């Protein structure tokens, strides 16, 4: 028998191709207690699920995957998130179940970066949709990107970004090229205050607008996820109608962070956006690429649906980068500024709540090894009171105040790190370092001060970070902080910035133990701006000098970093968006560019900025009108109280006889006259002398605004007809009367006799605050 015949008689061997399947963790139909984290797509290529239980295991995430017959290797893309620090006992442990069988391998325990861990094997007898569960074991931020199934025992999924993206796309059946949207007049990327201002303003000008936000809620740093209350004065300066749109959706939070996330009113922001028929809102959509066209113009941005993995190319005439990181500008090749070292960092704030019974806390050997004194202990929240902006200005709070605020302690804005880390590439490391610091602090409180903190448990810890400083896209003008201090007014000045030049640095006393990455910051306030009227930020800071159809609003605008320290607060950022939305209408209506608005149509922009924010037009060609149902805002509350408008006799701090050193201030509002004064010098005193025109009984009032560093026992004496009355006041707490007045009592004064109210700063346990004295005759 010849060899050919022998070969033909041998049995035919059929080798089946390996079977593969892919399950996106974030696409699981029932995420349980796992939360969606989209902050680091630019770092690791994907959103992921995070088991953020703050020390308590979260409920299982549940999904399905279709598997064909065979023995499948189960791989999970995950990370030991304390691996970069070589910390012991990885905290983010979890297991996986497939088809009802829990695989033995404990995951989230290896390496120092994202990798594929083999969870185990599963035998499937016939093609079927099988259930998949993620079982969190610790509650300490285990994370899962995707699960890969293969019948090839030698296969291992790739780590390289392009190969990984190609495998993901192929197994999910996604197209090579994403489909296009309809063409928008304005595409706004980023749904914080600046993006909200731009989208709403543009829509009210008759533009077709897309607002793209990578989170399920709007508000950015001012959302319930991050909880930084909105600062910055609105409705003032050259264009007092700027800020009216912002005030329609702004939070009225009384604490940052809050006892109840409802204080940040995510629903109001979304309702305000969805009220515009020509504004399409795309939540859970992360922009990660741009498509350019001739002449260095953006044609489209590519948005990833963070749950399904599907992409859309959002086509537009004009674009606004409101990402806070200058993401769109950087992808489009725009020039930008970014310090390599010494930038402000990112905060992850937190809240403890006092319970009726003791609350247990697990060991955290992987956290920062902190002791009492290594960090500022959390401070009690303040009840909703007269210091609340909503109450001062007549706004509805938008939420029901939390009772018993004294039961809550908060770790505030200064829990911040990342000063010398890269603000883009190192973001996940910065956030995770903040986690280690917070968990280490809680462990110290629960073990080293067990009696005081026995009943406290973690109520909230922001897993979405609040960054302060990143890329700033260069425009036709880079605003310098000195221009603001000197009052240099540019011809296109518009948005009023009222915040001082506030930059953050590591707080030295807490940086000794962890000098490589301190986690507590201090605010360094530079030279003051005009806080009453605001310094008008130029329009030329709001568009790119390089990319012809790109606007910016928010932290991405064209400023050097000292100016950023003033312009970065949220209400101010929102007003930038309002201006950009109006400028975009000019671009579309007059077939010009953002630069062309400045060069040829600045008068039209000034006119639009002078109009009420509620005005709108029904089409590009339509006339502006004020709708009958336009939201009516309360009158603007002034920062200062005119002494002439107060009844009786008023002696301002400018007229007081001062000894020793007193500083003047305007930050605590409202104040009487042009400022107030304060001092903690032992020899400092202030005498408010007066003489009444009509003898008899008079009520004496003093004015102050509370602050934690104010005197707990301010020494005050009243000189009157019967002699002198001494008293002590706690100025760290709010005064009892409206707008900061407090009654010292009723005293008798004689005509022609000098009387006085005298403050002494010595032994007052804080800074004594003097503002004004008011004397009112009593019938």
């Amino acid at each position: 028998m010849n060899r050919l015949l022998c070969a033909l008689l041998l049995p035919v061997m059929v080798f089946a191709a390996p079977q593969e399947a892919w399950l996106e963790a974030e696409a699981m139909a029932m995420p349980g207690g796992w939360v969606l984290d989209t902050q680091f797509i630019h770092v690791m290529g994907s959103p992921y699920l995070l088991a953020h239980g703050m020390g308590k295991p979260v409920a299982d995430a549940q999904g399905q995957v279709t598997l064909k017959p065979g023995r499948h290797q189960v791989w999970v893309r995950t990370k030991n998130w304390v691996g970069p620090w070589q910390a012991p006992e990885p905290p983010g442990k979890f297991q996986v179940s497939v088809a009802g069988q829990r695989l033995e391998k404990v995951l989230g325990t290896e390496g120092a970066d994202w990798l594929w861990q083999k969870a185990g094997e599963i035998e499937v007898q016939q093609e079927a949709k099988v259930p998949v569960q993620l079982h969190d074991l610790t509650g300490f931020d285990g994370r899962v990107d995707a699960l890969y199934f293969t019948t090839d025992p030698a296969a291992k999924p790739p780590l390289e970004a392009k190969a990984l993206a190609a495998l993901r796309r192929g197994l999910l059946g996604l197209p090579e090229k994403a489909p296009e949207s309809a063409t928008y007049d304005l595409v706004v990327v980023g749904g914080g205050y600046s993006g909200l201002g731009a989208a709403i303003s543009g829509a009210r000008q008759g533009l077709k607008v897309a607002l793209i936000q990578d989170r399920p809620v709007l508000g950015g740093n001012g959302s319930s996820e991050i909880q930084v209350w909105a600062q910055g004065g609105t409705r003032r300066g050259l264009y007092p109608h700027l800020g009216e749109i912002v005030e329609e959706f702004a939070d009225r939070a009384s604490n940052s962070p809050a006892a109840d996330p409802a204080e940040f009113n995510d629903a109001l922001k979304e309702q305000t956006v969805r009220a515009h028929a020509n504004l399409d809102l795309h939540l859970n959509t992360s922009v990660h690429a741009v498509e350019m066209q001739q002449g260095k113009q953006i044609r489209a941005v590519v948005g990833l649906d963070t749950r399904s993995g599907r992409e859309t190319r959002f086509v537009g005439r004009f674009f606004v980068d409101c990402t806070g990181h200058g993401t769109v500008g950087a992808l489009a090749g725009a020039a930008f500024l970014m310090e390599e070292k010494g930038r402000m960092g990112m905060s992850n704030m937190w809240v403890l709540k006092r319970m009726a019974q003791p609350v247990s806390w697990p060991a955290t050997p992987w956290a920062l090894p902190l002791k009492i004194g290594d960090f500022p202990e959390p401070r009690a929240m303040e009840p909703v009171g007269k210091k609340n902006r909503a109450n001062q200005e007549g706004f509805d709070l938008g939420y029901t105040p939390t009772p018993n605020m004294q039961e809550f302690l908060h770790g505030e804005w200064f829990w911040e790190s990342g000063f010398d880390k890269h603000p883009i590439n190192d973001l996940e490391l910065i956030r995770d370092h903040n986690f280690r610091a917070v968990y280490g602090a809680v462990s110290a409180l629960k073990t080293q001060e067990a009696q005081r903190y026995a009943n406290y448990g973690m109520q909230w810890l922001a897993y979405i970070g609040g960054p302060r400083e990143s890329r700033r896209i260069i425009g036709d003008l880079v605003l310098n902080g000195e221009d603001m201090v000197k009052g240099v007014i540019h011809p296109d000045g518009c948005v009023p910035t009222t915040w001082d030049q506030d930059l953050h640095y590591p707080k030295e006393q807490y940086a000794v133990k962890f000098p490589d990455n301190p986690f507590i910051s201090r605010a360094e306030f530079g030279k003051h701006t005009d806080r009453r009227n605001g310094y008008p930020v130029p329009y030329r800071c709001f568009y790119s000098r390089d990319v012809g159809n790109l606007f910016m609003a928010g932290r991405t605008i064209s400023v050097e970093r000292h100016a950023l320290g003033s312009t970065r607060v949220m209400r101010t950022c929102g007003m930038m968006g309002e201006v950009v939305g109006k400028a975009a209408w000019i671009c579309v209506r007059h077939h010009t560019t953002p630069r062309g608005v400045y060069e040829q149509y600045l008068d039209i922009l000034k006119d639009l900025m002078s109009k009420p924010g509620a005005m709108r037009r029904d089409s590009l060609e339509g006339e502006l009108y004020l709708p009958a149902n336009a939201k009516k805002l309360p009158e603007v509350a002034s920062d200062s109280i005119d002494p002439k408008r107060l009844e009786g006799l008023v002696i301002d701090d400018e007229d007081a006889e001062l000894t020793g050193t007193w500083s003047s201030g305007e930050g605590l509002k409202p104040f009487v006259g042009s400022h107030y004064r304060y001092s903690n010098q032992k020899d400092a005193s202030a005498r408010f002398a007066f003489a009444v025109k009509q003898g008899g009984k008079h009520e004496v009032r003093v004015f102050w605004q509370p602050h934690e560093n104010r005197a707990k026992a301010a020494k005050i004496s009243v000189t009157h007809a019967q002699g002198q009355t001494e008293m002590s006041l706690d100025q760290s707490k709010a005064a009892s009367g409206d707008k900061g007045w407090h009654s010292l009592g009723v005293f008798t004064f004689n005509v022609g006799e000098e009387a006085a109210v005298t403050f002494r700063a010595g032994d007052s346990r804080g800074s004594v605050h003097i503002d004004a004295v008011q004397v009112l005759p009593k019938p």
Side-chain angles (χ1 to χ4, degrees):
M1 188 179 292
N2 62 40
R3 291 182 180 178
L4 178 59
L5 183 57
C6 288
L8 291 174
L9 292 176
L10 289 174
V12 177
M13 302 296 293
V14 179
F15 295 94
Q19 300 299 316
E20 297 176 297
W22 185 280
L23 176 61
E24 285 287 321
E26 57 270 22
M28 286 184 162
M30 293 182 288
W34 296 67
V35 294
L36 179 64
D37 197 332
T38 63
Q39 301 169 90
F40 316 116
I41 293 173
H42 59 280
V43 177
M44 51 77 67
S46 173
Y48 58 82
L49 288 187
L50 183 76
H52 189 59
M54 296 173 288
K56 295 181 180 178
V58 304
D60 293 351
Q62 302 178 54
Q64 289 183 326
V65 64
T66 299
L67 297 180
K68 294 188 176 181
R71 189 163 189 82
H72 292 261
Q73 317 298 307
V74 183
W75 293 88
V76 180
R77 189 167 186 241
T78 184
K79 182 181 185 179
N80 169 19
W81 65 268
V82 299
W85 299 281
Q86 299 180 333
E89 298 184 33
K93 298 175 183 178
F94 64 97
Q95 289 177 295
V96 173
S97 288
V98 181
Q101 177 182 332
R102 181 177 290 211
L103 306 181
E104 290 185 6
K105 180 72 173 180
V106 174
L107 305 168
T109 59
E110 298 176 6
D113 203 346
W114 283 91
L115 48 70
W116 290 96
Q117 271 192 278
K118 187 174 179 181
E121 300 178 350
I122 187 76
E123 184 77 35
V124 176
Q125 300 299 326
Q126 60 184 16
E127 182 173 346
K129 280 189 176 180
V130 300
V132 178
Q133 289 90 31
L134 303 178
H135 308 290
D136 176 35
L137 301 178
T138 66
F140 281 124
D141 302 292
R143 50 203 71 182
V144 183
D145 168 29
L147 293 89
Y148 170 72
F149 303 82
T150 178
T151 56
D152 182 357
K156 185 175 181 180
L159 290 173
E160 193 273 326
K162 287 186 179 180
L164 183 59
L167 178 63
R168 185 192 308 262
R169 185 179 294 111
L171 292 178
L172 292 178
L174 301 176
E176 284 291 327
K177 191 168 187 179
E180 289 187 356
S181 70
T183 299
Y184 289 96
D185 296 313
L186 186 65
V187 177
V188 182
V189 184
Y193 271 62
S194 55
L196 284 164
I200 295 169
S201 174
R204 290 182 181 178
Q205 293 296 324
L207 300 178
K208 179 63 176 173
V209 180
L211 175 58
I212 304 173
Q213 165 71 333
D214 64 352
R215 299 297 306 154
V217 297
L218 296 166
N221 281 353
S223 70
S224 63
E225 294 185 318
I226 301 174
Q227 298 191 17
V228 180
W229 52 20
Q231 297 285 1
T234 59
R235 303 187 293 165
R236 65 192 66 210
L238 298 175
Y239 304 99
H241 286 297
L242 289 180
E244 290 178 345
I245 292 176
V246 170
E247 295 301 347
E248 289 186 37
F249 62 75
D251 71 74
R252 311 292 165 199
S254 59
N255 285 279
S256 179
D260 183 352
E263 290 195 29
F264 285 84
N265 215 336
D266 299 334
L268 175 64
K269 297 175 177 67
E270 186 169 340
Q271 289 166 8
T272 307
V273 168
R274 293 195 185 278
H276 300 81
N278 54 331
L279 199 173
D280 292 341
L281 177 60
H282 302 275
L283 295 172
N284 294 302
T285 303
S286 177
V287 168
H288 64 95
V290 302
E291 182 180 304
M292 304 297 290
Q293 60 188 358
Q294 190 175 8
K296 205 164 186 185
Q297 304 270 324
I298 301 175
R299 181 181 180 276
V301 295
V302 182
L304 173 77
D305 186 309
T306 57
R307 298 155 302 180
S308 69
R310 296 188 178 278
E311 295 177 330
T312 302
R313 290 149 62 217
F314 294 93
V315 181
R317 294 182 175 88
F318 295 92
F319 297 81
V320 194
D321 190 329
C322 299
T323 62
H325 289 295
T327 302
V328 177
L331 291 169
F336 60 84
L337 302 168
M338 186 176 73
E339 279 68 29
E340 288 300 317
K341 294 285 186 181
R343 294 171 308 275
M344 289 181 281
M346 181 170 75
S347 290
N348 291 83
M349 297 185 290
W350 49 287
V351 176
L352 296 178
K353 183 180 180 182
R354 188 172 65 208
M355 308 298 184
Q357 301 295 327
V359 179
S360 62
W361 179 252
T364 59
W366 41 267
L368 293 188
L370 300 180
K371 295 181 178 179
I372 300 297
D374 289 340
F375 57 92
E377 292 188 36
R379 188 170 62 91
M381 290 187 179
E382 298 184 36
V384 177
K386 291 182 172 58
K387 78 181 213 48
N388 183 278
R389 181 178 178 129
N391 290 344
Q392 289 176 3
E393 299 190 355
F395 285 94
D396 278 338
L397 288 174
Y399 66 96
T400 301
T402 302
N404 304 319
M405 293 288 282
Q406 68 275 10
E407 294 180 355
F408 296 87
L409 307 177
H410 54 176
E412 301 168 74
W413 58 268
F414 45 73
W415 286 81
E416 173 183 1
S417 75
F419 302 97
D420 283 336
K421 307 303 177 185
H422 195 283
I424 309 295
N425 300 334
D426 291 338
L427 265 184
E428 190 176 23
L429 290 174
I430 295 170
R431 193 278 307 274
D432 290 346
H433 182 72
N434 288 346
F435 278 178
R436 293 184 71 216
V438 172
Y439 290 136
V442 174
S443 289
L445 297 174
K446 297 288 286 181
T447 57
Q448 299 165 34
E449 290 288 345
Q451 186 170 357
R452 277 201 295 144
Y453 290 96
N455 284 32
Y456 281 95
M458 288 210 75
Q459 172 84 355
W460 179 79
L461 165 60
Y463 67 93
I464 304 294
R468 291 184 172 83
E469 183 176 356
S470 190
R471 303 184 188 101
R472 305 184 304 280
I473 300 167
I474 298 176
D476 277 348
L477 184 147
V478 179
L479 179 63
N480 191 292
E482 281 300 312
D483 283 359
M484 300 168 64
V485 174
K486 293 175 182 176
V488 177
I489 307 301
H490 296 273
D492 53 337
C494 52
V495 170
T497 180
T498 58
W499 198 250
D500 288 338
Q501 293 179 16
D502 169 18
L503 298 176
H504 291 193
Y505 301 95
K507 193 163 188 177
E508 289 80 1
Q509 74 185 91
Y510 300 118
V512 175
K513 194 168 181 179
F514 300 96
D516 60 321
N517 198 356
F519 57 89
I520 299 294
S521 70
R522 60 176 174 83
E524 185 172 295
F525 287 90
K527 298 176 181 178
H528 298 312
T529 56
D530 180 349
R531 281 177 277 187
R532 227 171 284 172
N533 300 305
Y535 174 83
V537 180
Y539 164 74
R540 282 170 291 167
C541 298
F542 302 159
Y543 62 86
S544 168
R545 75 179 187 191
D546 305 308
V547 180
N549 61 344
L550 178 62
F551 289 101
M552 305 88 72
R555 296 194 312 273
T556 62
I557 67 168
S558 181
V559 290
E560 61 83 45
R561 70 186 309 263
H562 290 90
L564 173 70
S566 173
T567 59
R568 65 183 174 80
V569 294
M570 284 178 289
R571 278 182 165 87
T572 305
C573 292
M575 289 187 287
M576 298 174 197
E578 292 183 29
V579 171
V580 163
K582 299 173 191 296
W585 175 80
I586 298 173
C587 289
V588 175
R589 173 65 180 79
H590 293 279
H591 307 285
T592 189
T593 63
R595 178 178 288 121
V597 172
Y598 171 74
E599 293 176 342
Q600 296 177 282
Y601 300 99
L602 188 58
D603 287 345
I604 296 179
L605 179 60
K606 289 181 177 181
D607 181 64
L608 290 177
M609 293 189 296
S610 300
K611 297 285 196 296
M615 293 189 76
R616 63 202 68 199
R617 62 181 96 237
D618 294 329
S619 68
L620 287 174
E621 306 289 340
E623 294 295 324
L624 279 172
Y625 67 93
L626 190 66
N629 63 348
K631 191 170 185 178
K632 184 172 176 58
L633 299 173
E635 295 296 322
V636 177
S638 174
D639 292 343
S640 64
I641 302 167
D642 185 350
K644 295 177 182 178
R645 293 182 177 271
L646 294 174
E647 296 181 84
L649 179 64
V650 178
I651 310 95
D652 194 16
D653 62 285
E654 288 188 342
D655 301 316
E657 303 167 21
L658 304 178
T659 60
T661 302
W662 291 84
S663 300
S664 63
E666 302 171 20
L668 302 178
K669 306 164 187 175
F671 45 83
V672 177
S674 58
H675 51 64
Y676 54 81
R677 300 175 198 264
Y678 56 96
S679 177
N680 60 5
Q681 303 299 308
K682 289 187 177 181
D683 62 345
S685 66
R687 186 171 186 269
F688 292 77
F690 60 91
V692 299
K693 294 181 180 180
Q694 179 182 350
K697 293 185 180 298
H698 294 70
E699 181 185 9
V700 178
R701 297 175 175 178
V702 296
F703 286 76
W704 82 81
Q705 293 297 332
H707 192 275
E708 61 185 7
N709 67 10
R710 290 304 190 247
K712 309 298 187 297
K715 304 297 187 297
I716 300 177
S717 64
V718 181
T719 303
H720 49 83
Q722 277 77 43
Q724 188 165 288
T725 300
E726 306 281 345
M727 62 193 73
S728 176
L729 293 177
D730 185 351
Q731 294 185 314
S732 68
K733 297 179 180 178
S736 58
D738 184 40
K739 296 184 178 179
W741 64 261
H742 178 82
S743 179
L744 299 182
V746 176
F747 306 90
T748 300
F749 299 100
N750 296 328
V751 176
E753 292 183 2
E754 186 174 83
V757 175
T758 304
F759 292 78
R760 293 180 176 82
D763 300 322
S764 293
R765 292 162 48 206
S767 292
V768 170
H769 185 118
I770 61 171
D771 190 1
V773 170
Q774 182 183 22
V775 182
L776 295 166
K778 303 296 289 186

